[in-house]
Each structure stands twice: as structure tokens, then as C-alpha cells.
Amino acid sequence: MLNRTPLNWATMRRFFRIFSLSLTLLLCLLLAAFLWLQHQLRQLPITNLDYQISQWGLRQLRLEHLHFDYLIADAPLHMELNQVHLSWHWQGLRPQLNLLTLHQLDVRLASMPQATESAPKAAMQLPEHWHWPDWLPAQSRIDWLQLDLPCDQLRCIYQGSLELTHQTEQLDVSMQLYAVQHSEHPLSLQLSYQLQQHWPQLELMLQLDEVLQLELSSTLQAHSADLTDTSWQGAMAFSLRPPPSWLVTELARWQLELPELWLSQFRQQVSASSQWQFAVPPQLSEQWWQHLNGSMQLQLSSPSPLYLPDLGLITAELQASAEFNQGQLAPFRVAAGGTLTEIVVPEPLLAAGFKLPTLYWSLSSQHSEAFSLAALPLQFRLDSADQQHQLHAIFNLDLLAQKAQLEQLQLRLVQPELRAGDWQLSAVELAGSLSGSLSAQQLQLRSSSPLQLQAKLENPELSLQIAHTSLHLDQLQLDSRLATTETASHRLSSRLVFNAEQLQQPQLKTLDWQWQGNLSANSSKDWQLSSAGELIASSGLELRSDVQANTHQVTLHWQLADVFMLAGNTLASTMADWPELLTLQRGRIKHQGELRLALADQSYQLHSTTELLELAGFYDTTTFRGINGQLLLAADPKQLQLSTSRLAVEQFEQGVMGGPLHLAAQYQAEWDAPTAGILQLHDNELILFNGRISVPAMALDLSQPQWLLPLHIKQLDLQQLLTQHPTSDLTGHGLIDGEIPLIISARGVEVAQGRLRALEPGGSLSYRSPQAQGMAASNPGMKMIIAALDDFHYSVLSSDVSYSTDGHLTLALRLEGRNPAMEGGRPVHFNITLEENIPALITSLQLTNQLNEVIQKRVQERLQRPRQP
């Protein structure tokens, strides 16, 4: 015993040294592992990390809880793991996980992460061997899974469980998930992922109650060591039944509103299936489809209509098959068809009354020759039962670029009636043929034949009716770039012909009209439109127009082709309210104008110029010639203004002959009272009987009941006046001045206190009438008067003038003078009252002149009318 004691103490000391060293190394390893774990966690976008270890050892770890926030595209994801159990075994110095269990996992996403553009993927090399990650546990289980997600303005909470089993060559996943409000309707997922000789085989089954079921099987297999003979085959089956009310409610929480119309018609199951088998190259390049080999089949059956956003309800039956050989299709067959109902119509057309009946659609292609995926020939048809609505398209579909090349698109639409505001169209028919291309980013269309729109047009507000209108768009080109709303742009150009047959409007005579010209429009953030053409009426009237429009303003400029009266008055042949008594026989009329309309407040500015050149003709019983001048019109929403700076009439005749006449005036009025404005007169003058009749510059307020128009008479030639008088018994000479105050009112024209007077030194009068000589033979007083007037030299001639609205003229005439051959030339004074009916006098004067047939007929008709009492 005494000999063994030293040995025991030495052994014990050695053991404690080894144990202490081992413990120190273990602690150092644990510290290093802890520090490494902390470093790795700091590399991750993890914040607010909190955990509590309840038990740990060399083969297991238990955490009471593990909480942290993980950032996904700046959207915080809060994770809470409770009662976590990890166990593993050691393979040498390397741990291998056996078990991962979580009693509860709560995941809360504060907000939905913003979508980001993914970088383009490089070519992918097909792995030679497929295997699981080394760290994957043999068994993983989450007993209680809760997802708290943002939906609309609320929170949507889902609960369930997840179990994952990993064996050497197989991975099985089972999951159930349900909304807390509908726990009796779970979404179940069963996934079986196997490795057959290191190549994957997938079986997936997804089921939501009895509403939705998806089954998918996929097998990838290599038949050679260098992977040059690898195949991928699989099958898919899908079925969808009418969604119950609980699912509709749940989808609505995610802002997925299912249309009531679709739900009411969804009664039968929708099913789809597909099978495929393809050869897979060792390396998948970006143009992998160029070497695609294999075949696939697709079947779809939807006896109840499906809802397509922005389109409507569609039923479909589809059978398709294709074989691929080095990216070429040979053969390729597709046969599909069904109905389209409740078609979504754009709001402006819907407001106009545009409707589409049930349409029958078909898509077909059957070719045995080889086709590229970039040029897949297809035919698409839309037809209504009555063949009133048709769309036939022949196009090549580019699956690679995701666009279609339209070889021919024939369109025909018929609508019984359309309305837009006060405009009404009936018997509307649109037909035409187009070609072009279509993709998600761009639409290009070209007219193969003129696009024609025909209709009957009415506007009761304008009292407008057109028996038949036709619009022809030829050389149509439409280019729309639809990348995004901000960068979208549209360009349109076309040759346009618009025909209006038997246009009826109270201001126009019933005629045929045609407008033809060019139309172009483009828009991006703002839009612009321009149109230039010519409007022609069957009367011969021609009008050139130019329209420029943009987001802010519309400008219309027009110019009337010169109207030559010798070739016929096209204005009178066109305008229903052309004055019936006005006839223009010679001369020319020019007219042009411009209208500027501000779209923001609907304000406008209108300007027009009418030029009269050497016009000659007659109005009622008055003839005229040599009318020259300009008429200007300006208007805005508040007022209008008419003016002429120098309107001249070379000569006119109505019983007496006068001219030239010079007029300068301006009229301004408010639109609320267009006939009650202010008339400004400037330098107006008439040459009559070699004298001048003028009106001083003044303003007339037409809102007043009557207006005073003073006429200033200067150097009126008495000889000229008497020469044009119908009697030849009175002659004379001299010059006369005077003032005639015209009073104009609703009753007519009248004169009160007008004055005429002879200019010094006077003149002479000679009255020699056989009838007066007969009266003088039996009357001594009359004999003296007749003798004095035989050669009367006057020094004073004055007269008061009055004129009534019934045309009765009264002259209170005073004469002072002498007859040199009578009683030594003693002075003689006369006070004479002369009365005359001016309309009758003018008529008699006209009958003594040479009149054209029209004026002569009008004068005779007035003489034959019974006089008004």
C-alpha cells in the first residue's frame, strides 16, 4: 500500500492536467463557435436579435425562444421561434443535423416589399449529380405556424403546420395552411422529391378544399455519362370548381374582387391537362429554345365561362399538340373555340350605347411543315350569330419575342344606334382590312384597304340631319408604344374622306357635302392633332380648312375659294337664308377666318374677313354696281364686333341714280343682346345729284327705342334733281344745302323739322305745262302765277321738310325772286306746299327707266297689290 500511493497521486495529477487542458480547449472551441456565429449573424440583414438557451450539449441544443427582424427589400420581417429543438450526431469532427422541431413559428410581415428588377440570368450548366444540401435535417417539423401578412388596410392571419422528412434519396414535404376565419377549409400541399440515380423526380399535389386541385409530376433523367442524352418528361392536371362564398370573401380581402356576373354563371368544372417530353442539352443558354427537341400536348375544357380582366367572360375548348426539332415546330396543331360574353367595352363607347352580342371565337393552326417559334402561323375568328360583327385575323405569333405579326385583319361591326352628346348615329357600320404587329410594348397597324364607317347622322340641337354619311380612312398608319403610362406614345396618320349625302339644316339648302384631306395625331404626355383638307358642296362651294390642336388649344383656319358671280353664286345655292331679294350678277367674294378655342375654360377668339370686289346686281328693285370693301368680324364668348373701314358702292339706282357711296362703321354688342349694341359711324358720304349727303361721325345706341341720324346735304344740283324727276314740265338750276334729321324706330323712318335752302346767288326755275296753260286761260290769278314761273329767277329758295313713316313727304316751299320779262322784273314771293308719296314716286320713276325683267316684274306686282286701308 505504501508503495502504490505515489503512483496514484501522479496519475491523478496527470488526469487533472489533461482534463483541464481538454476543458480549456472545449471552452475555446465553444467561444470560437459563438464568435463565428455572431460574425455570421452580423453579415445578415438581421436586427433586434434575442434568444434564450434552455439546454445545450454536444449533440443537441434547446432554445426557449429566438426572435429577430429580417429585412427583405426594406420591408421588415419579424420572426418568433419558440421552443426550438436541434439535435445532431457527429461524423468525425463534423456535425450532421438529425432533427429540427419548432413548437411555434410566428412570421409577421409589416408591409409588402417593393418589387425590384432582377438581373439577367446567365447560361446555366446542367449538374451532373443532384443531391440534397448537407445541412438538411433528416426530419423537420413546425407544430404551429402562423403568418401575419398585410392585406388591404387590414391584417390577414393564416395558421397551419409543416413537416419535412429527408431520407437518402427522397424528400417529402407536407403542409397545411388555413385562414383563421375559415379553419375548416385548409390548403394542403404534398410534395415528394426523389433522386433516381442522382436525378430528380418530382410529384406535387396542391389542393384547396374541393375548389382547386393541381397535380404535377416531373422527371429529369440522364441516359449518358456526358449528359448529352438527357430527357425531361412530365404531366400536369388542373381542375377548378365554382368558388364558395368563403373563398370569395377571403380573396376580396386581398383586393381580388371576383365579378358577380362570372360567379353567377360559373357552374361547371374547369379542367386542364398537359403532357410533355423534351431532350435537355447539357448547358441551358439564353437561346435554349433554338435547340429544343421533343413534344407536348395541351388540353383545356371550360364549359362555364372564365373571367378575363379587361375582356369579359370566355368559354373555351382547346386541343393542341406540337413536336419540336431543333427549335422548329413540325407538325403543329391547335384547335380551340368557344364564346365571348359580357365583353368589356371602353367607357366612352359604352356611354355612346355601343354593345356587342355573344361572339363565337376560334383559334386554329394545322401545318405539317416546319415552323420556327418566331413565326407560328395562326388564324383567329370572331363572329356573331347574325354575322353583323366579324373579326378575322391571320397572323404569325413570335413566341420568343412575345409579339404577333398581323398579315391580315378584317373587321366588320354593325350598331343600330350610337349617341355622343346631342349627336345621334343610326345604322352604323364599320368595315376595313388592316395589317401590322402587336406586342406588350407596341402596336402598329396599317390599312390594307380603306377603313369605312357608314351611318345616318342627326343632331336635334343643331337641327341637323344627314341621310347617309361615310368616312373613309385610307393610308392609315397607327403606331402606339405602350411601355408604361408615363412613356406611352401614340401616332396616327391617314388620308380621310368624309361624305355627307342630303345634308339638311335650316341654314343650308339640302346638298351633298364632301371633306377630304390629311389627318395626323400624336400623343405622349401631351397630344397634338393636325388636319388640312378641302370641303366641297354639290352647289360648287369650296372651302379649305386647317385644324391644329393640342392639350391646351384648338385652332381652326378656313379660306373660301373665290366666288365668281359670273360663274354662278354658289353662296346663294348653298345658304338657305340667302336674301331672296338679293341677286349678284358680277364681281367676286373672298372670305377667310380663324377660330382659337382654349380647352381649359372653353373660351374662344373668332376673326373673319370678307372681301367684296366689283360686285354688281340688284336688291329688290334697287340695282347697284362697283361694290368694293372689307367686312371684319371679331367675337369672343362675351361680345361680337362687326366693322368696315371703307365700303364703297360705285353706283346704285332706285328710280333715281346715285353714287359713289362710301361707308365706314363699327358695331359692337354683347351676345346676351346681339341687336342692342353700339353702332359707330365714321366718314359716311353719298354723292347724289352732283351733291353730297354725309353723316357726321357719331355713335348710335341700338338699345334705345329710336335713333336720330342727321343728314347733311351740300351743293345738291337742282338741275340734276329735276332731270331725274318723272315730269318734264319743270326745269331749273341752282345748288341746295340742308339738314335732314332722320328718326329711325320700329315704326320706320320719319323726318321732322328738316330744312333745305338754295345757295347764293340763287338760280332759276321754268314751269311750262300745257295743262297749266289751259287753267290760266280761264283764271287770271293762275295766269299771273304761270307767267311768273315761265322764267323765274330766284334768290331765295327754302323749304321745311317732313316725312312720315307711311312714305308721305311734305315740302313747305318758300320762293323769292322775279321774272325779267314780267312787269319790269318786279319781285315775286311764293309760298307753296308740295306733297308726294315717295314709294309711289320711286315706282313711277322706275317705270320710266329701263329695268331688267326681274325688277320690272317686282314693280308690277306691287302696283297690282290692293292698297292697305
Side-chain angles (χ1 to χ4, degrees), residues 380-395:
F380 180 76
R381 294 177 63 97
L382 278 176
D383 296 277
S384 62
D386 57 4
Q387 298 297 307
Q388 294 293 298
H389 303 80
Q390 297 177 332
L391 186 147
H392 300 167
I394 301 175
F395 63 97

Side-chain angles (χ1 to χ4, degrees), residues 28 82 103 109 129 176 235 281 303 512 550 595 607 679 698 839 855:
C28 289
N82 296 314
H103 175 68
L109 183 62
H129 298 284
Q176 281 197 340
D512 295 340
N550 55 40
L595 172 67
H607 298 276
L679 178 62
M698 62 183 304
I855 297 179

Side-chain angles (χ1 to χ4, degrees), residues 58-62 85-89 96-101 137-139:
L58 293 177
R59 290 183 175 85
Q60 68 173 349
L61 172 66
R62 292 182 183 271
H85 181 205
L86 276 171
S87 66
W88 60 88
H89 66 273
Q96 174 62 48
L97 289 175
N98 298 326
L99 176 67
L100 169 62
T101 63
Q139 184 176 1

Side-chain angles (χ1 to χ4, degrees), residues 85 89 172 356 424 621 625 671 701 703 735 769 818 861:
H85 181 205
H89 66 273
D172 294 321
L356 282 174
Q424 302 176 9
T621 59
R625 65 178 177 84
W671 279 113
D701 186 354
S703 64
L735 299 177
S769 170
R818 59 179 56 85
E861 287 176 351

Side-chain angles (χ1 to χ4, degrees), residues 151-214:
C151 58
D152 197 13
Q153 302 299 322
L154 306 173
R155 306 292 301 181
C156 292
I157 300 176
Y158 299 92
Q159 297 175 346
S161 62
L162 174 65
E163 185 173 354
L164 184 148
T165 302
H166 170 216
Q167 299 177 4
T168 304
E169 299 292 339
Q170 183 169 346
L171 175 68
D172 294 321
V173 179
S174 176
M175 184 184 73
Q176 281 197 340
L177 196 66
Y178 53 84
V180 293
Q181 298 91 342
H182 312 291
S183 58
E184 68 276 17
H185 305 290
L187 173 67
S188 63
L189 170 69
Q190 300 291 332
L191 173 65
S192 177
Y193 187 86
Q194 298 181 3
L195 293 178
Q196 299 289 341
Q197 298 179 353
H198 303 288
W199 289 94
Q201 179 177 342
L202 175 69
E203 298 287 341
L204 171 68
M205 181 173 179
L206 181 67
Q207 185 170 357
L208 176 61
D209 208 10
E210 296 182 355
V211 180
L212 180 146
Q213 183 170 332
L214 173 65

Side-chain angles (χ1 to χ4, degrees), residues 575-752:
M575 302 169 58
D577 58 352
W578 180 266
E580 182 181 359
L581 300 177
L582 176 61
T583 301
L584 299 178
Q585 298 172 310
R586 293 189 305 276
R588 181 164 49 123
I589 294 179
K590 302 175 68 174
H591 175 79
Q592 65 178 6
E594 183 180 79
L595 172 67
R596 294 181 180 270
L597 173 64
L599 298 179
D601 56 5
Q602 297 297 304
S603 63
Y604 66 87
Q605 294 289 334
L606 171 66
H607 298 276
S608 73
T609 302
T610 303
E611 188 172 358
L612 311 178
L613 301 169
E614 298 297 333
L615 289 182
F618 53 89
Y619 178 77
D620 195 7
T621 59
T622 302
T623 62
F624 54 83
R625 65 178 177 84
I627 296 182
N628 292 275
Q630 281 189 342
L631 302 176
L632 306 178
L633 168 65
D636 58 35
K638 293 183 178 180
Q639 63 183 9
L640 65 97
Q641 180 176 302
L642 292 167
S643 63
T644 176
S645 59
R646 192 70 173 174
L647 181 64
V649 182
E650 183 178 343
Q651 188 180 76
F652 68 88
E653 181 177 359
Q654 189 183 32
V656 297
M657 186 177 297
L661 170 65
H662 297 286
L663 297 175
Q666 177 179 302
Y667 178 71
Q668 186 170 330
E670 303 291 328
W671 279 113
D672 295 338
T675 60
I678 303 297
L679 178 62
Q680 297 278 353
L681 300 176
H682 311 282
D683 302 328
N684 296 299
E685 185 179 74
L686 168 64
I687 304 301
L688 183 65
F689 306 133
N690 288 343
R692 298 177 181 274
I693 301 177
S694 62
V695 178
M698 62 183 304
L700 296 179
D701 186 354
L702 301 191
S703 64
Q704 300 300 315
Q706 66 180 25
W707 320 300
L708 175 62
L709 192 66
L711 302 182
H712 298 315
I713 300 174
K714 292 191 177 297
Q715 298 185 358
L716 203 68
D717 191 336
L718 183 61
Q719 183 177 2
Q720 286 292 323
L721 188 154
L722 295 177
T723 299
Q724 297 191 46
H725 196 274
T727 178
S728 58
D729 299 332
L730 183 62
T731 60
H733 73 277
L735 299 177
I736 297 175
D737 282 1
E739 291 80 26
I740 305 295
L742 289 183
I743 300 174
I744 305 173
S745 65
R747 300 186 305 273
V749 179
E750 55 186 318
V751 176

Side-chain angles (χ1 to χ4, degrees), residues 412-447:
R412 183 172 185 263
L413 291 174
V414 176
Q415 288 291 305
E417 186 176 28
L418 291 176
R419 293 176 178 268
D422 297 322
W423 295 93
Q424 302 176 9
L425 289 85
S426 55
V428 183
E429 180 177 351
L430 174 66
S433 179
L434 302 167
S435 62
S437 62
L438 171 65
S439 68
Q441 294 78 29
Q442 188 173 16
L443 169 65
Q444 292 181 320
L445 291 176
R446 304 289 183 269
S447 60

